[in-house]
Amino acid sequence: MSRSVRYTSSPLLASKTPVWRSKLVVAAIAVGFLGLTARAAYIQVIGNAFYQHQGEVRFARTLELPANRGRILDRNGLILASSVIAPSVWAIPEDVDHDPAKLKQLAKLLEMPLADLNKKLDEDKSFVWIKRQVDEPVTQQITALGIKGIYLRKEYKRQYPEGEAIAHVVGFTNVEDNGQDGIELAFNKELGGKPGSRRVIKDRMGRVVEDIGDQVPPVDGREIQLSIDSKVQFFAYQKLRDAVIANKAKAGSVVVLDTVTGEVLALANYPSYSPDNRKNLTGEQLRNRALTDTFEPGSTMKPITVATALELGRITPQTPIDTSPGRYTVTGSTITDTHNYGLLTVEGVIQKSSNVGATKISQRMTPHEMWDSFTAVGFGQKPQLTFPGAVTGRLRPWKSWRPIEQATMSYGYGLSASLFQMAHSYTAFAHDGKIIPATMLKSDEPAVGVQVFSAQNAAAVRKMLQLAAGPGGTGPLAQTVGYSVGGKSGTAHKQVGKGYASNKYRAWFTGMAPIEKPRIIVAVMVDEPSAGSYYGGIVAAPVFSEVVQQTLRMMGVQPDLDVKAQVVSKAVEESF
């Protein structure tokens, strides 16, 4: 070195440092360490819960363990609805590996345009559903692609093996596996079970690092066994569909009831839909017309009017009723028959379906008496059925009835009911005068009914129904091979606004078999037939005949008639 520095001669080093300064520095360092120690103690001991919570918010997750939805079975144990594994595809968009080739393959597997896939990945940075409920073979191929940021979640979807034939009974679920219609909705809580849970810690990639806490296992939903016989249901649906198409009708419905247990053996509507594939579903397909659509029952009310008068002792089956000259005026309004039937017995009034005869019988009763009887068999009352969508219909209080309204109600105008209500009301005739509760669930016990007519009067009405469905009656096409039947046809103009359409009709037939000891009730309705015929005895009665014969055979009911070919050649008559 060219020169040396003499540090010892520096005036700064020569000055004496005050003691308080060094003590201050040491004290400051000590206070700093004490602060750090206190802060550490607070975080680790006193404030631990807060920071633990903050950590859990960022990394701990509660995973729902879905319960397997219960199956829906028919009365014989055939599966009508069940759940299968169908994982859903989701993503963390900010982590997704945007490999164009792989994303193109993914879009192809998911059957969606690549543009739609890219749009979904741009919606959110942290989470987005790509597609819900994908078939398992497809998810295996997705896993094989190994795309970073794309994940699968185990879920279930429903399958309905019986398709459109049973659609309006079982209903369907949404993507969250919650019931939306039919039995799926009515018994959603029982079918759905209770999901379990699993508490875990995840890393930022969404991967499970470890389990924390106890795992709560899911409780699977319970099975629901219906009263429906899937074979009867399919046959009834098939024959109804054929009739609607053949008659160029708008729609149709059919109901089959067991008269011993009150079980609904079939409830079908057309048009229908596939519960598995509800794309482009319309309200016309979705409507459960047998329960939701109401109409004026027309001539099918006449047996109830007659049964009421029999019960009150105002008439007997052989009481003569003069229907000449085929028309009758009540307070200025004229009621007509299709023909002048002249002098008829009460049995003849039902057989020929005379509006004039029904009117004159109703005039032997008070409005209150008729109203009591109509409500007793279920009109104006919501069906006590564990099923969504069942409507009440319309039956105005008796105090507001005018004479002409009492007259028209006797033959089915001025009140409304669903096809199901109509079928149910006839259990009073089939079950020895007792109206029995209906059920959609399987029941092996005979139903306990409420007596509304005597057994004798119920039998008398059954005989009248047999005449109405035989030669000389309005529904001979209801006859079937091997079984005696009885029933009543009906045809009515459809209401449009405040009036009636002149060229739109509803045709129906309600009856039972075998007639001496009825085992089933079948009700058929065809809406707006437009192929030329529109009478219930022509359009609906043949469906009744086919459904009755097939159902009784499936149930193992012995024929009560000689099995021989039966040809009906007599022209069918019908009254409104």
Side-chain angles (χ1 to χ4, degrees):
M1 297 178 65
S2 58
R3 62 186 181 89
S4 60
V5 178
R6 302 178 66 181
Y7 293 101
T8 56
S9 63
S10 171
L12 291 174
L13 294 175
S15 64
K16 189 176 181 179
T17 302
V19 176
W20 64 268
R21 187 182 297 176
S22 60
K23 289 182 178 180
L24 179 63
V25 171
V26 172
I29 294 173
V31 170
F33 274 109
L34 284 174
L36 291 173
T37 303
R39 183 62 177 168
Y42 177 80
I43 292 173
Q44 296 293 327
V45 182
I46 302 172
N48 179 265
F50 171 79
Y51 290 99
Q52 188 74 24
H53 173 69
Q54 293 300 311
E56 289 183 0
V57 167
R58 288 163 175 76
F59 300 104
R61 297 289 184 269
T62 299
L63 303 180
E64 182 181 281
L65 303 177
N68 192 2
R69 193 170 177 86
R71 300 184 301 174
I72 300 175
L73 310 175
D74 85 337
R75 64 183 303 102
N76 300 311
L78 186 72
I79 296 175
L80 303 179
S82 63
S83 293
V84 296
I85 295 175
S88 291
V89 184
W90 63 281
I92 301 177
E94 64 180 354
D95 295 337
V96 172
D97 178 10
H98 286 269
D99 183 327
K102 287 186 176 182
L103 290 181
K104 185 177 181 180
Q105 285 182 278
L106 176 62
K108 184 177 179 181
L109 288 172
L110 296 177
E111 298 179 346
M112 61 190 304
L114 179 60
D116 290 352
L117 175 60
N118 288 326
K119 184 178 179 182
K120 282 181 176 291
L121 294 175
D122 290 337
E123 287 178 1
D124 193 297
K125 290 185 177 182
S126 58
F127 176 88
V128 66
W129 286 113
I130 303 298
K131 190 170 184 179
R132 304 293 294 274
Q133 298 182 348
V134 179
D135 292 336
E136 222 172 353
V138 175
T139 63
Q140 292 173 4
Q141 296 179 63
I142 293 173
T143 302
L145 289 175
I147 303 175
K148 181 183 176 183
I150 300 294
Y151 304 98
L152 299 174
R153 177 183 175 181
K154 182 180 178 181
E155 290 189 325
Y156 296 92
K157 74 174 181 179
R158 297 294 263 178
Q159 285 189 337
Y160 303 93
E162 295 301 303
E164 61 183 24
I166 200 74
H168 292 101
V169 174
V170 296
F172 56 89
T173 61
N174 62 10
V175 72
E176 302 294 342
D177 217 19
N178 291 318
Q180 300 296 294
D181 198 11
I183 293 296
E184 293 277 30
L185 174 59
F187 294 92
N188 185 55
K189 185 177 180 181
E190 293 85 350
L191 288 165
K194 188 176 180 180
S197 61
R198 176 189 175 196
R199 191 74 174 161
V200 300
I201 292 178
K202 286 187 174 184
D203 63 13
R204 67 175 298 274
M205 305 298 294
R207 297 170 298 197
V208 174
V209 176
E210 65 173 315
D211 289 294
I212 54 176
D214 295 328
Q215 179 173 308
V216 179
V219 178
D220 290 342
R222 70 178 180 89
E223 290 184 344
I224 300 294
Q225 188 165 23
L226 304 184
S227 60
I228 297 292
D229 187 315
S230 58
K231 293 180 180 178
V232 175
Q233 175 78 19
F234 179 77
F235 185 83
Y237 172 77
Q238 190 178 51
K239 294 303 176 183
L240 175 70
R241 180 193 60 195
D242 293 347
V244 170
I245 294 173
N247 289 281
K248 297 180 180 178
K250 182 179 179 181
S253 302
V254 61
V255 175
V256 182
L257 294 179
D258 187 315
T259 63
V260 176
T261 61
E263 293 171 294
V264 180
L265 300 178
L267 189 154
N269 300 277
Y270 185 83
S272 186
Y273 63 95
S274 173
D276 285 322
N277 182 10
R278 299 187 298 278
K279 291 181 180 178
N280 303 317
L281 182 64
T282 66
E284 289 293 301
Q285 296 170 292
L286 191 60
R287 273 166 55 195
N288 191 343
R289 298 169 186 271
L291 287 167
T292 63
D293 286 18
T294 61
F295 53 87
E296 292 177 309
S299 295
T300 50
M301 281 299 295
K302 291 171 184 173
I304 297 173
T305 298
V306 167
T308 304
L310 287 171
E311 196 69 18
L312 293 169
R314 312 291 163 77
I315 58 172
T316 69
Q318 300 305 318
T319 298
I321 306 292
D322 187 5
T323 66
S324 298
R327 56 184 179 274
Y328 186 64
T329 301
V330 177
T331 60
S333 299
T334 301
I335 294 165
T336 61
D337 285 336
T338 55
H339 299 81
N340 178 9
Y341 295 116
L343 188 65
L344 295 172
T345 62
V346 170
E347 287 181 344
V349 168
I350 297 298
Q351 182 183 27
K352 298 298 183 182
S353 195
S354 170
N355 294 338
V356 173
T359 298
K360 289 190 173 182
I361 291 172
S362 72
Q363 290 180 330
R364 303 187 182 200
M365 299 177 284
T366 66
H368 195 179
E369 289 169 335
M370 290 178 63
W371 184 89
D372 281 345
S373 182
F374 290 176
T375 56
V377 296
F379 291 99
Q381 312 291 314
K382 187 172 183 178
Q384 298 301 304
L385 193 68
T386 309
F387 201 84
V391 296
T392 301
R394 181 173 61 91
L395 178 64
R396 293 190 299 105
W398 62 271
K399 290 183 179 180
S400 63
W401 292 10
R402 293 177 293 140
I404 185 59
E405 291 174 324
Q406 180 181 355
T408 59
M409 285 187 194
S410 71
Y411 56 89
Y413 280 83
L415 71 161
S416 66
S418 66
L419 186 69
F420 180 84
Q421 285 177 302
M422 201 69 242
H424 185 233
S425 70
Y426 271 45
T427 62
F429 304 134
H431 204 81
D432 292 330
K434 295 179 181 178
I435 190 83
I436 61 174
T439 178
M440 293 291 292
L441 302 179
K442 184 179 180 181
S443 174
D444 296 322
E445 299 297 324
V448 178
V450 177
Q451 198 82 42
V452 292
F453 305 124
S454 69
Q456 180 182 355
N457 288 331
V461 174
R462 287 202 303 271
K463 181 181 177 182
M464 298 177 199
L465 293 173
Q466 185 177 21
L467 292 172
T474 59
L477 294 180
Q479 294 295 311
T480 189
V481 177
Y483 299 100
S484 59
V485 301
K488 191 73 190 71
S489 59
T491 310
H493 288 279
K494 288 188 68 172
Q495 285 184 303
V496 178
K498 295 183 178 180
Y500 293 91
S502 60
N503 60 346
K504 292 183 179 181
Y505 301 88
R506 276 195 178 96
W508 59 91
F509 192 95
T510 304
M512 60 198 69
I515 200 64
E516 289 299 323
K517 193 173 182 181
R519 192 68 178 82
I520 58 171
I521 291 172
V522 176
V524 180
M525 185 275 291
V526 179
D527 188 12
E528 290 189 32
S530 58
S533 298
Y534 54 84
Y535 291 123
I538 297 177
V539 174
V543 180
F544 168 89
S545 173
E546 292 175 312
V547 172
V548 163
Q549 183 167 324
Q550 189 70 12
T551 302
L552 291 178
R553 285 180 177 177
M554 289 178 180
M555 296 174 71
V557 177
Q558 292 296 316
D560 63 334
L561 297 177
D562 293 334
V563 179
K564 59 183 179 180
Q566 299 180 13
V567 180
V568 177
S569 59
K570 185 177 178 63
V572 178
E573 298 175 322
E574 179 62 63
S575 69
F576 294 152

